[in-house]
Amino acid sequence: MKLFFHGGGCGDSCCLRVQDLSVKIGNDTILHDVDLHVHCSQLVALIGPNGAGKSTFLKAVLGHVDHDGVIAFSSPGQRDRRPRIGYVPQSPTFDPGDPVSVADLFACCMSRRPAFLGLSKSMRKTVLECLERVHGEDLIDKRVGTLSGGELQRVLLALALEPLPNILILDEPLSGVDVEGMSVLMDMLDEIRKTYDLSILMTTHDFSMLERYADQVVLIDHTVLAQGTPQEVLTSEPFARTFHRKGGM
Ligand code: ADP
Ligand code: MG
């Protein structure tokens, strides 16, 4: 496994460069010959059928699965330091009867203090500041099991933004979110990447959002089948072959 940093290139903007990536799990080759480039403040959408290896790709970038090939990061001002990566995993499910509040969730993730002791005043202030980034201050005392899909994603996003990352990775943030919630979430991601100058890499099955929000779309099915602007990929032959002839996802 090679994971390293490089300066220069990419017009000196921070980026993620993946070259010849392959991932094997047991005897199965999940990904092979994957090349991909994410430039600073770009939103890159990874699409592909179920089982294509999208989540595995994100885990490889996060360093959670072994791989061959190159995953290289560079970010101006942070040379020789691993970039901070914020990660929003595929939505966990919480029971509506679960007594855990949003504040408790932050307490568990951000401090060593047991949730049942509640938040200290200063910690509560920090959590409110985090939630402010996703316009979610009003969610602090809600129980996580009662949040809508969109609200839960905003809370998970707020967690991933503390500390502020250089690259934000989200695995299917739109699944379980209604159409109105999708626009709210995508507008928020757009605002966040502009405000904090970070790059976003996300997987999605919702192609209607791509033209408006994605700078680059990568179609993957164990390897990269098409890569380019949303328009280029959505009208490409591999896209038609992957989704239309199969009759959907
Ligand atoms: P996607 O996110 O595109 O739906 P995944 O990356 O989750 O695809 O999975 C790609 C393939 O790798 C699937 O066939 C899946 O069964 C397999 N896979 C993923 N993780 C593991 C694992 N830990 N052990 C064995 N097989 C796995
Ligand atoms: Mg997945």
Side-chain angles (χ1 to χ4, degrees):
M1 160 169 149
K2 283 182 212 149
L3 194 69
F4 62 84
F5 312 93
H6 66 102
C10 300
D12 256 355
S13 60
C14 72
C15 76
L16 160 68
R17 180 170 61 88
V18 175
Q19 230 173 340
D20 289 333
L21 178 90
S22 64
V23 174
K24 271 190 179 176
I25 299 180
N27 289 328
D28 296 331
T29 299
I30 311 295
L31 292 167
H32 64 91
D33 303 305
V34 175
D35 292 325
L36 195 150
H37 218 149
V38 180
H39 288 272
C40 189
S41 355
Q42 266 198 347
L43 189 148
V44 176
L46 212 57
I47 63 169
N50 286 325
K54 302 181 296 297
S55 297
T56 303
F57 177 81
L58 299 185
K59 285 176 193 158
V61 172
L62 287 161
H64 294 176
V65 296
D66 280 344
H67 63 269
D68 284 318
V70 173
I71 297 178
F73 302 97
S74 74
S75 72
Q78 287 215 356
R79 300 255 159 94
D80 307 323
R81 278 180 53 193
R82 198 178 201 286
R84 277 191 297 273
I85 304 181
Y87 177 47
V88 180
Q90 219 163 337
S91 257
T93 46
F94 294 94
D95 193 297
D98 208 328
V100 176
S101 71
V102 170
D104 295 333
L105 189 64
F106 272 86
C108 292
C109 296
M110 294 172 65
S111 78
R112 291 172 188 273
R113 198 179 161 92
F116 65 83
L117 288 178
L119 284 184
S120 65
K121 258 191 183 171
S122 67
M123 186 66 185
R124 190 175 170 88
K125 188 167 165 277
T126 306
V127 172
L128 281 170
E129 283 164 6
C130 291
L131 288 169
E132 200 180 342
R133 289 180 179 147
V134 299
H135 309 305
E137 300 98 305
D138 56 322
L139 302 176
I140 189 164
D141 293 316
K142 283 203 173 182
R143 283 187 286 161
V144 282
T146 63
L147 298 176
S148 70
E151 287 172 337
L152 178 59
Q153 280 299 324
R154 277 158 60 202
V155 167
L156 296 175
L157 182 57
L159 273 170
L161 289 173
E162 183 55 37
L164 277 173
N166 305 105
I167 301 173
L168 181 63
I169 289 182
L170 307 99
D171 200 354
E172 297 200 23
L174 302 177
S175 67
V177 178
D178 61 28
V179 176
E180 200 185 322
M182 281 187 198
S183 298
V184 171
L185 197 60
M186 289 310 299
D187 280 338
M188 190 163 288
L189 288 175
D190 207 36
E191 179 190 320
I192 282 166
R193 91 182 149 124
K194 285 175 187 151
T195 307
Y196 303 113
D197 197 26
L198 47 82
S199 317
I200 296 179
L201 177 61
M202 61 178 274
T203 62
T204 184
H205 285 290
D206 195 285
F207 306 145
S208 65
M209 296 288 159
L210 297 178
E211 292 223 38
R212 180 150 168 223
Y213 295 101
D215 298 296
Q216 197 193 151
V217 176
V218 182
L219 168 60
I220 201 168
D221 194 0
H222 302 290
T223 193
V224 175
L225 300 182
Q227 191 166 9
T229 63
Q231 167 81 3
E232 283 166 352
V233 173
L234 295 176
T235 56
S236 70
E237 196 275 331
F239 180 85
R241 186 160 28 91
T242 304
F243 293 110
H244 298 159
R245 287 184 207 158
K246 280 186 182 173
M249 288 170 274

